Amino acid sequence: MKLTSDELRKKWMDFFIARGHTPISSASLIPENDPTVLFTTAGMHPLVPYLLGQPHPAGKRLCDTQKCVRTGDIDEVGDASHCTFFEMLGNWSLGDYFKDEMVPWSYEFLTEQLNLDPARLAVTVFEGDADCPRDDKTAELWEKCGIKKENIFFLGKKHNWWGPAGQTGPCGSDTEMFYDTGKPKCCPECSPACDCGKYVEIWNDVFMQFNKNADGTFSQLKQKNVDTGMGLERVLMNVQGLKSVYETDVFAPIVGKIEQLSGKSIADGECVKAIRVIADHIRTATFIIGDERGVTPSNVDQGYILRRLLRRAIRFGKGLGLKNGDYSAIAATVVDKYKDAYPELLSARDKIIHEIDEEQARFERTLENGMKEFEKLCKFLQSDVIPGKSAFRLYDTYGFPLEMTVELANERGFKVDIDGFNARFEEHKNLSHAGAEQRFKGGLADTGELTARLHTATHLMHRALKEVLNDPTVNQRGSNITPERLRFDFSFGRAMTPDEIKAVEDKVNAAIKADVPIVCEEMTVDEAKAQGAVGLFTAKYGEKVKVYTMGEFSKEICGGPHAARTGELGHFRIVKEQSSSAGVRRIKAVLE
Ligand code: SER
């Protein structure tokens, strides 16, 4: 069967629209109001508030095609299926239908829209544990659809649980659908859980009915949701039995362009990895620059990931003999391929080309400096071996791939301490992965729940500071909250004493212990002032404002969000009190 990406997107949308879903457009790749993740990593990511219960303006049944970037596996890119950018087809029930509808729909879509042979479908369901019972219901539904009992596998949390995407937030058991490639079983226990390649994953239905709390426990969400995700590129590959995603129609013209520019073929085993890496990285870079909230290469955050992708592509391109201007020409092919599905790329076409050319020029200059460094290194070398440390410095600071350093060294009759390089590389990888994972782990519901709690704590602390310091100049000057900590700047002329810090902590913890409800009322600014509410940054307020009251402990004008009760906050601790600028102090505090 020949299935193109355009057809698959259309089949998906038509199928769910016919079942009462409202199509929504892909959210930006750069998450809004979420400082803790760099990119949108799944279709559910922009929908977290609605999975938690906030009403979505488009209703309770939604479907879309979401642009996603995941860079955790960047080193795997070059194999058959890892991509840093992918499209996720998704549909959602926000507290509407649940398993009874979703399982038969999934079966119908797989067998009637994708024309997959029912006998070759295998599914996994959750085997149950102390947090959530065994999902016999879903297994029964699959069996009723026609999946053979021996093709239904019960697996544990490791395989059949999705989320939360951060440390806390919406999550639940899932059921995953696989297609049997027909390869023989690798062992008697062979199942979709093993990675022998017999079973390839097609789709994932998450029954999102839990919230994972900061203490590791699970509580029921207000509503039972369905969140499904199908990776477009992998499905195109799997249902058509292709050997890699690069053979699907989304990659074909991009690969073709690289072949044309380089005069090399992807069929040549020597070139396959380089061509795949360039195709993947330039596609991702095109989507990042061309996003409606697009960024340009830099040394921080999304801009740094973009820079790494582009430079990695250029490094691989050197091996293929690609020249200046070739990378932006490849990007132009990407724009052309996707311009109907993602028109923002067409509007940003010139910007994409310009930024890629600029970054290439900058990288050439860095390489030039790297060559100087290399020459210097050779001059002062005390043996005929370039230390791993130096090779790594060339790699890390000047973007020299190890292969290039080895080649240059050989030309001069030197060797490179490759083990030493690898040791440094691993060390660095662990460090940067740890950093990157923190960023990815951070966000989503964290931003919802953890930051809401810290925000509530900020109100309690503000009030406690006014009382303890007993000084009318004490007032908020700034606030910044991440899921890990709150940071609060306030006007006050001197350092706080340890006793004062302790007194503020005690007051906040007493308010938490009292476990009072947090009440939100709407009123005019004048009414709020009359009630003695603390008001900040008055100029920003509209006609009506929200006033949050926490028993006797705090009354403040604020847009929220807040915890429901002070008791949810845990234990409050001030970790730092320091000067911020003249007459302004800064506190960092955490909830434990
Ligand atoms: N959130 C789930 C996933 O990423 C289903 O959409 O697989």
Side-chain angles (χ1 to χ4, degrees):
M1 175 186 61
K2 183 96 186 90
L3 179 67
T4 67
S5 52
D6 287 339
E7 284 161 3
L8 177 53
R9 281 190 214 98
K10 183 160 171 10
K11 273 180 191 287
W12 181 269
M13 289 301 189
D14 288 349
F15 184 85
F16 285 104
I17 291 169
R19 284 157 189 76
H21 293 64
T22 305
I24 54 172
S25 43
S26 172
S28 164
L29 267 178
I30 320 280
E32 239 166 315
N33 301 322
D34 189 348
T36 57
V37 281
L38 293 176
F39 295 104
T40 299
T41 57
M44 56 78 76
H45 188 164
L47 296 172
V48 169
Y50 311 104
L51 293 163
L52 290 170
Q54 205 173 299
H56 192 286
K60 293 183 168 178
R61 296 182 179 202
L62 310 174
C63 57
D64 76 1
T65 309
Q66 174 64 47
K67 303 182 275 187
C68 301
V69 165
R70 292 185 188 176
T71 51
D73 291 333
I74 189 166
D75 296 326
E76 314 279 338
V77 173
D79 70 1
S81 64
H82 279 91
C83 296
T84 52
F85 168 89
F86 64 99
E87 292 175 73
M88 190 182 277
L89 303 164
N91 68 285
W92 290 273
S93 156
L94 302 172
D96 191 26
Y97 60 82
F98 206 48
K99 297 174 183 175
D100 281 312
E101 291 82 359
M102 196 58 231
V103 173
W105 285 345
S106 299
Y107 185 82
E108 196 182 332
F109 190 82
L110 294 173
T111 55
E112 289 174 27
Q113 299 296 318
L114 298 186
N115 296 321
L116 296 179
D117 175 0
R120 287 172 62 185
L121 286 176
V123 298
T124 60
V125 288
F126 185 53
E127 71 179 8
D129 65 9
D131 300 318
C132 174
R134 180 181 159 98
D135 196 359
D136 286 317
K137 164 94 188 171
T138 297
E140 275 163 30
L141 287 166
W142 281 125
E143 236 189 298
K144 236 171 50 206
C145 288
I147 305 261
K148 287 187 267 163
K149 219 181 175 111
E150 63 265 32
N151 285 338
I152 303 175
F153 299 84
F154 283 88
L155 299 172
K157 264 220 175 72
K158 184 166 169 250
H159 295 282
N160 281 84
W161 191 269
W162 199 90
Q167 275 145 342
T168 62
C171 56
S173 63
D174 64 18
T175 182
E176 297 187 15
M177 292 144 266
F178 296 80
Y179 200 46
D180 184 344
T181 57
K183 283 189 193 167
K185 283 182 178 255
C186 66
C187 61
E189 296 77 40
C190 184
S191 82
C194 55
D195 47 19
C196 68
K198 179 175 173 58
Y199 300 96
V200 290
E201 192 190 329
I202 308 261
W203 194 359
N204 181 13
D205 293 352
V206 187
F207 302 117
M208 227 166 224
Q209 54 176 327
F210 292 97
N211 189 64
K212 186 169 186 190
N213 306 309
D215 62 5
T217 58
F218 295 88
S219 43
Q220 291 278 342
L221 284 176
K222 270 190 236 151
Q223 61 193 36
K224 289 183 177 177
N225 308 291
V226 173
D227 154 38
T228 95
M230 181 185 271
L232 176 127
E233 293 83 348
R234 281 197 195 190
V235 166
L236 285 177
M237 165 176 98
N238 288 334
V239 305
Q240 302 184 79
L242 302 175
K243 288 199 185 59
S244 85
V245 290
Y246 300 93
E247 293 172 25
T248 64
D249 75 288
V250 289
F251 273 114
I254 306 170
V255 167
K257 186 75 187 171
I258 300 169
E259 290 181 323
Q260 179 215 325
L261 292 167
S262 65
K264 303 271 164 50
S265 161
I266 197 162
D268 173 353
E270 297 270 301
C271 302
V272 59
K273 179 167 181 187
I275 293 180
R276 286 175 175 179
V277 168
I278 298 164
D280 172 83
H281 289 9
I282 297 292
R283 185 175 72 134
T284 306
T286 304
F287 271 93
I288 294 175
I289 304 171
D291 190 88
E292 52 273 39
R293 305 182 70 226
V295 298
T296 54
S298 74
N299 277 338
V300 292
D301 298 338
Q302 290 92 353
Y304 182 61
I305 302 281
L306 172 62
R307 169 159 286 168
R308 270 181 59 197
L309 288 167
L310 284 172
R311 293 190 173 193
R312 196 157 185 265
I314 296 168
R315 271 171 22 205
F316 276 92
K318 286 199 177 297
L320 293 182
L322 291 181
K323 300 173 301 301
N324 293 356
D326 284 351
Y327 304 93
S328 56
I330 299 164
T333 306
V334 178
V335 173
D336 213 41
K337 174 67 199 170
Y338 284 99
K339 62 181 185 309
D340 295 331
Y342 299 96
E344 64 269 25
L345 295 181
L346 193 58
S347 329
R349 192 175 187 278
D350 292 347
K351 177 179 164 197
I352 294 166
I353 288 174
H354 174 76
E355 289 298 336
I356 292 181
D357 284 341
E358 286 279 295
E359 182 61 14
Q360 165 158 28
R362 272 189 297 257
F363 188 40
E364 296 296 340
R365 290 197 289 275
T366 314
L367 282 174
E368 227 171 86
N369 292 335
M371 277 313 294
K372 284 186 201 143
E373 177 75 18
F374 180 78
E375 298 300 345
K376 218 162 54 194
L377 182 75
C378 293
K379 214 155 117 196
F380 296 107
L381 213 56
Q382 286 173 357
S383 72
D384 62 351
V385 181
I386 296 184
K389 194 174 79 186
S390 308
F392 185 75
R393 192 174 136 75
L394 283 168
Y395 163 81
D396 195 36
T397 310
Y398 298 98
F400 273 35
L402 179 64
E403 299 72 24
M404 188 166 134
T405 305
V406 171
E407 253 173 52
L408 289 167
N410 287 345
E411 280 167 21
R412 287 164 176 76
F414 297 135
K415 290 197 217 74
V416 178
D417 171 11
I418 293 179
D419 288 343
F421 174 91
N422 286 336
R424 291 263 155 178
F425 185 80
E426 283 302 314
E427 222 172 83
H428 178 84
K429 200 166 90 183
N430 291 340
L431 282 178
S432 60
H433 270 185
E437 269 154 31
Q438 283 312 320
R439 297 294 303 259
F440 284 114
K441 263 202 303 200
L444 304 178
D446 293 354
T447 16
E449 301 223 348
L450 294 182
T451 58
R453 280 182 213 137
L454 284 160
H455 189 174
T456 300
T458 304
H459 281 212
L460 293 171
M461 183 182 73
H462 189 191
R463 167 74 173 268
L465 282 167
K466 282 177 183 287
E467 287 178 6
V468 169
L469 300 174
N470 193 17
D471 182 322
T473 60
V474 170
N475 255 314
Q476 175 168 344
R477 294 291 291 273
S479 165
N480 168 292
I481 294 173
T482 70
E484 287 83 33
R485 55 107 183 108
L486 68 84
R487 193 181 80 199
F488 186 75
D489 292 349
F490 62 103
S491 38
F492 188 56
R494 60 166 172 86
M496 289 170 70
T497 66
D499 283 350
E500 285 168 344
I501 290 175
K502 169 99 180 29
V504 169
E505 286 175 339
D506 288 349
K507 274 194 184 285
V508 174
N509 284 318
I512 293 172
K513 191 143 175 258
D515 192 20
V516 294
I518 295 160
V519 182
C520 172
E521 294 162 291
E522 290 206 1
M523 58 184 83
T524 65
V525 179
D526 290 339
E527 282 165 343
K529 287 209 174 126
Q531 288 195 10
V534 174
L536 299 160
F537 317 123
T538 325
K540 273 205 228 153
Y541 296 142
E543 268 286 85
K544 286 224 168 187
V545 291
K546 285 182 182 167
V547 173
Y548 283 87
T549 307
M550 308 178 199
E552 291 305 303
F553 302 103
S554 160
K555 187 183 270 291
E556 200 166 313
I557 299 176
C558 177
H562 287 283
R565 303 183 66 91
T566 57
E568 291 169 20
L569 270 51
H571 182 262
F572 172 82
R573 185 165 63 87
I574 293 179
V575 287
K576 206 177 237 173
E577 193 273 344
Q578 65 197 134
S579 164
S580 163
S581 60
V584 179
R585 306 296 302 173
R586 169 167 288 184
I587 286 182
K588 287 189 183 159
V590 293
L591 289 171
E592 303 170 316

